Amino acid sequence: MAGPDTLDDYREKRDFARTPEPPGEHGAASGLPIFVIQKHEATTLHYDFRLEADGVLKSWAVPKGPSTNPKEKRLAVPTEDHPLDYAEFEGVIPEGSYGAGPVLIWDRGTYRNLTQKDGQEVGVAEGARRGHISVWLEGEKVRGGYALTRFRTGKGEAWLLVKKDDVEADPGRDPVADEPRSVVSGRTLAEIAAGAGHSR
Ligand code: MN
């Protein structure tokens, strides 16, 4: 992994003797970059949207989850970089630990980076610093172009996740409401919570 270790925040927030989450000791994967969307019932329910970039998962918490309707803007709050192997995590973060609650792999797949500035390709990690990322997702539930764009608020900054108007756009779908289960195990969050200890 090149450059500074951006997983310091991630590790500082967690006690790996207590939580089944990975400490992130494994290096970068090969092949196409991956994305994952993890449904996480912590203090509040949200969807963690993560894109592989520079050997880590760039991460945003999306309270309402992604939409397939280009007219729906979804708030996306940046969170700390996560290790690549976090994309495999599904299970229960125990009481008393950071982010306590069940997590399921709501969608996953590979993506292509479409981020540009003045006609030049911009890497996703660079796009995260500059405040704009454009990707094409190849997931099981969520596909096609999505834009993540930073904006300023009175309190600081936030981002919006918006579906691009392309062949995969579909205002008639609502995968967050209609497709709640894990794409890996088929379980719901309640089933994962009930099977605490049975993490994978
Ligand atoms: Mn989360």
Side-chain angles (χ1 to χ4, degrees):
M1 233 182 284
D5 190 339
T6 64
L7 295 176
D8 287 348
D9 278 358
Y10 173 85
R11 294 193 182 102
E12 277 170 17
K13 288 177 174 175
R14 289 166 179 81
D15 176 357
F16 297 105
R18 291 176 60 97
T19 180
E21 297 165 292
E25 284 156 354
H26 302 294
S30 58
L32 288 170
I34 60 153
F35 82 95
V36 65
I37 302 172
Q38 282 157 315
K39 186 177 181 182
H40 180 193
E41 192 165 27
T43 310
T44 57
L45 179 68
H46 59 274
Y47 294 75
D48 288 297
F49 181 82
R50 310 189 196 279
L51 295 170
E52 177 183 355
D54 287 5
V56 297
L57 295 171
K58 294 287 168 191
S59 300
W60 292 260
V62 183
K64 293 185 175 176
S67 178
T68 51
N69 181 350
K71 294 201 167 98
E72 285 272 335
K73 295 178 170 66
R74 296 287 161 90
L75 181 69
V77 180
T79 58
E80 74 274 20
D81 291 352
H82 278 51
L84 280 184
D85 49 6
Y86 204 92
E88 305 292 324
F89 177 70
E90 181 168 291
V92 179
I93 302 171
E95 280 303 316
S97 294
Y98 181 74
V103 176
L104 66 71
I105 300 173
W106 185 79
D107 200 11
R108 67 178 181 180
T110 58
Y111 79 89
R112 278 188 291 126
N113 179 27
L114 304 175
T115 312
Q116 291 195 343
K117 175 80 174 174
D118 302 327
Q120 301 288 313
E121 182 175 330
V122 173
V124 164
E126 176 69 13
R129 286 187 287 274
R130 292 189 186 186
H132 181 74
I133 293 168
S134 176
V135 289
W136 181 278
L137 304 178
E138 295 281 354
E140 295 181 40
K141 295 173 181 170
V142 171
R143 304 175 67 85
Y146 277 83
L148 271 162
T149 307
R150 184 170 61 201
F151 65 100
R152 307 284 170 194
T153 73
K155 290 184 242 172
E157 68 174 51
W159 293 61
L160 290 175
L161 175 66
V162 183
K163 178 77 194 78
K164 292 196 180 180
D165 195 0
D166 55 35
V167 295
E168 299 288 355
D170 185 352
R173 279 185 69 210
D174 187 354
V176 164
D178 299 335
E179 301 170 52
R181 290 176 181 273
S182 166
V183 293
V184 174
S185 67
R187 293 183 295 173
T188 62
L189 272 185
E191 287 165 356
I192 288 170
H198 170 244
S199 63
R200 60 179 303 286

